Amino acid sequence: MKIKVCGFTNADNAREASLLGIDAIGLVFYDKSPRHVDVELALEIVNALPPFINRVGLFVNADSSFIDEVLCEVPLDTLQFHGDESVAECTQYAMPFIKALRVNQETNITQMADDYHQASGLLLDAFNKDAYGGTGEAFDWSLAKVDIDLPIILAGGLNPDTVAEAIKQVNPYAVDVSSGVESSPGIKDIDKIKQFIHKARS
């Protein structure tokens, strides 16, 4: 089970978490998020990471000029689009990307997988009309049990107590956690990450 921990705001914290054996870290380039990082802090975090960690930059309806600016400064491996970005907006950087969907009963995941077939994966998160992810809210995981060609990354309300059941129900390619392993917004609790990894992979 692949594990991504999103929303780091401290370089030492990100390094310590990465050394536990997670696969990817997320950096939030969205100024309305309590886990927002600027280019300088993102670079500090990325430079602290051990090898073989996928460095994901999360953007929400960002101007292409801003994303280009980040990419010139920060060596990211994958882009994560968490807003209402079109296919053209996601593909213009010629980089691997993840498209996040906020899922409720009306979400047509199969159609979105067809529309965004060039994505590396679809991230399924809880629908919240006021927030683009990071809320710690779960959604009805039965909605995520779909037969699509893209890898499914499950997010939303995951923590050490819920991740095993979520994996059992959905059987995703990967899980993505943020607030579920935090001591405060942007600061990850290392013990919670250890528990999360153990539960996700046992």
Side-chain angles (χ1 to χ4, degrees):
M1 181 56 52
K2 303 287 186 187
I3 297 171
K4 172 174 170 272
V5 180
C6 194
F8 284 97
T9 58
N10 176 278
D12 291 338
N13 193 220
R15 178 175 176 81
E16 194 174 357
S18 298
L19 289 169
L20 295 175
I22 62 176
D23 301 283
I25 69 135
L27 298 170
V28 179
F29 296 95
Y30 178 53
D31 59 10
K32 292 184 174 64
S33 169
R35 301 168 186 87
H36 168 253
V37 293
D38 58 18
V39 165
E40 188 178 0
L41 179 54
L43 196 55
E44 189 182 322
I45 292 169
V46 163
N47 287 339
L49 297 176
F52 311 127
I53 300 289
N54 193 289
R55 300 158 296 193
V56 182
L58 187 156
F59 298 90
V60 180
N61 301 327
D63 287 339
S64 58
S65 59
F66 172 66
I67 297 176
D68 285 334
E69 180 189 330
V70 171
L71 290 175
C72 282
E73 299 289 339
V74 186
L76 297 175
D77 301 302
T78 305
L79 301 178
Q80 181 173 320
F81 294 104
H82 231 288
D84 309 302
E85 297 87 1
S86 67
V87 174
E89 287 171 321
C90 294
T91 55
Q92 65 182 304
Y93 306 97
M95 278 185 68
F97 75 91
I98 296 161
K99 184 67 185 83
L101 307 181
R102 293 176 292 158
V103 177
N104 61 16
Q105 295 284 352
E106 281 76 56
T107 310
N108 189 334
I109 298 171
T110 306
Q111 182 62 56
M112 293 296 281
D114 286 343
D115 292 346
Y116 291 87
H117 65 273
Q118 291 152 292
S120 298
L122 282 189
L123 184 142
L124 306 183
D125 201 353
F127 182 86
N128 182 309
K129 64 183 176 62
D130 300 317
Y132 289 97
T135 62
E137 298 168 13
F139 66 97
D140 179 356
W141 291 322
S142 68
L143 299 174
K145 293 174 74 172
V146 289
D147 184 18
I148 59 174
D149 290 333
L150 291 177
I152 288 175
I153 303 158
L154 188 64
L158 299 182
N159 59 51
D161 296 326
T162 62
V163 67
E165 181 59 30
I167 290 169
K168 186 176 166 186
Q169 284 193 38
V170 179
N171 190 28
Y173 168 76
V175 288
D176 189 338
V177 64
S178 183
S179 59
V181 291
E182 285 183 335
S183 52
S184 62
I187 302 301
K188 309 304 175 185
D189 183 309
I190 296 301
D191 285 334
K192 285 183 182 175
I193 293 180
K194 285 178 184 174
Q195 292 171 41
F196 188 90
I197 293 170
H198 174 70
K199 294 287 181 65
R201 290 184 174 151
S202 60

